[in-house]
């Protein structure tokens, strides 16, 4: 009798989770909690097939519904923007002060924004590249204009892998504009 009851319990658990769907939702904002619009998000399944797309409004919120239980998904994000958005000579001054050891850039996001060539370190080459953008000698930063982070993650990435076993309603993303260390970029044009 115990064997039969255990089988029914296992079958019942399987049936209740079979076909269950979940929601993935969050917000894209800067470190100053300014919501970001026009961030293009794509959701891919484990085979790389596009499942859904979403473009954020000025509230920065996104939602993907009806996602299968236990499946692996990859969420990708990008934001097309002008490299000049938020980039000024004041940013050059702040980055120079960091390089000279006079005043540190006080967050990982500002440091990542200053490393516009994505070399892993802030250098004179970053200042040269930002200056070239300001003077319209160079039209874009290498690798795009925005960097994306998960809160608490020190590495920028344009994609994150997720296995959904429950609703995930706080999948927040922090955006950092390359070259903009003082946070003056317009995030909702």
């Amino acid at each position: 009798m115990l064997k039969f009851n255990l089988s029914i319990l296992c079958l019942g658990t399987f049936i209740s989770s079979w076909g269950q769907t979940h929601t993935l939702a969050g917000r894209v904002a800067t470190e100053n909690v300014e919501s970001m619009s026009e961030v293009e998000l794509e959701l891919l399944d484990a085979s790389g097939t596009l499942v859904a797309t979403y473009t954020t409004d000025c509230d920065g919120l996104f939602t993907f519904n009806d996602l299968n239980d236990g499946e692996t998904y990859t969420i990708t994000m990008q934001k097309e923007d002008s490299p000049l958005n938020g980039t000024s000579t004041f940013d050059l001054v702040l980055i120079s002060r960091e390089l000279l050891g006079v005043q540190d850039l006080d967050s990982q996001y500002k440091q990542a924004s200053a490393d516009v060539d994505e070399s892993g370190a802030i250098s004179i080459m970053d200042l040269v590249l930002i200056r070239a953008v300001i003077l319209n000698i160079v039209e874009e930063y290498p690798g795009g204009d925005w960097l994306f982070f998960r809160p608490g993650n020190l590495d920028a990435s344009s994609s994150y892998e997720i296995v959904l076993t429950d609703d995930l309603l706080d999948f927040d993303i922090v955006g950092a504009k390359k070259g903009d260390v003082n946070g003056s970029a317009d995030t909702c044009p």
Side-chain angles (χ1 to χ4, degrees):
M1 185 69 166
L2 178 62
K3 194 177 202 179
F4 179 71
N5 288 340
L6 185 59
S7 297
I8 290 175
L9 177 64
C10 291
L11 181 62
T13 303
F14 173 76
I15 290 173
S16 69
S17 66
W18 183 71
Q20 186 175 6
T21 61
H22 300 294
T23 297
L24 171 65
R27 181 176 180 214
V28 185
T30 66
E31 74 172 310
N32 298 327
V33 198
E34 294 177 28
S35 297
M36 292 178 56
S37 70
E38 300 177 6
V39 177
E40 299 168 8
L41 299 128
E42 291 185 342
L43 193 67
L44 310 169
D45 65 14
S47 67
T49 303
L50 182 65
V51 174
T53 62
Y54 195 96
T55 303
T56 59
D57 292 327
C58 285
D59 61 10
L61 300 174
F62 64 90
T63 303
F64 295 104
N65 293 309
D66 301 321
L67 305 177
N68 295 328
D69 184 64
E71 270 203 46
T72 301
Y73 292 96
T74 301
I75 185 170
T76 66
M77 67 261 356
Q78 70 173 3
K79 180 173 173 62
E80 298 296 323
D81 203 351
S82 165
L84 290 172
N85 181 15
T87 304
S88 69
T89 54
F90 184 53
D91 295 298
L92 289 173
V93 169
L94 293 174
I95 296 168
S96 296
R97 293 174 64 82
E98 163 80 17
L99 286 171
L100 294 170
V102 174
Q103 182 180 13
D104 291 338
L105 296 173
D106 61 358
S107 78
Q108 74 181 52
Y109 307 113
K110 290 176 184 172
Q111 292 169 0
S113 293
D115 181 21
V116 294
D117 65 0
E118 297 185 40
S119 66
I122 303 168
S123 69
I124 296 297
M125 288 308 299
D126 296 306
L127 290 175
V128 169
L129 187 53
I130 293 169
R131 183 174 179 267
V133 164
I134 291 170
L135 296 174
N136 287 317
I137 296 169
V138 173
E139 294 183 11
E140 60 187 27
Y141 293 118
D145 296 318
W146 285 87
L147 300 167
F148 296 98
F149 300 83
R150 289 280 294 132
N153 188 339
L154 299 178
D155 297 319
S157 180
S158 60
S159 67
Y160 293 95
E161 193 171 281
I162 307 153
V163 178
L164 286 176
T165 56
D166 203 353
D167 288 341
L168 183 54
L169 305 177
D170 60 351
F171 193 82
D172 295 335
I173 299 166
V174 178
K177 173 69 176 60
K178 284 186 179 178
D180 177 26
V181 296
N182 68 341
S184 63
D186 183 3
T187 59
C188 186

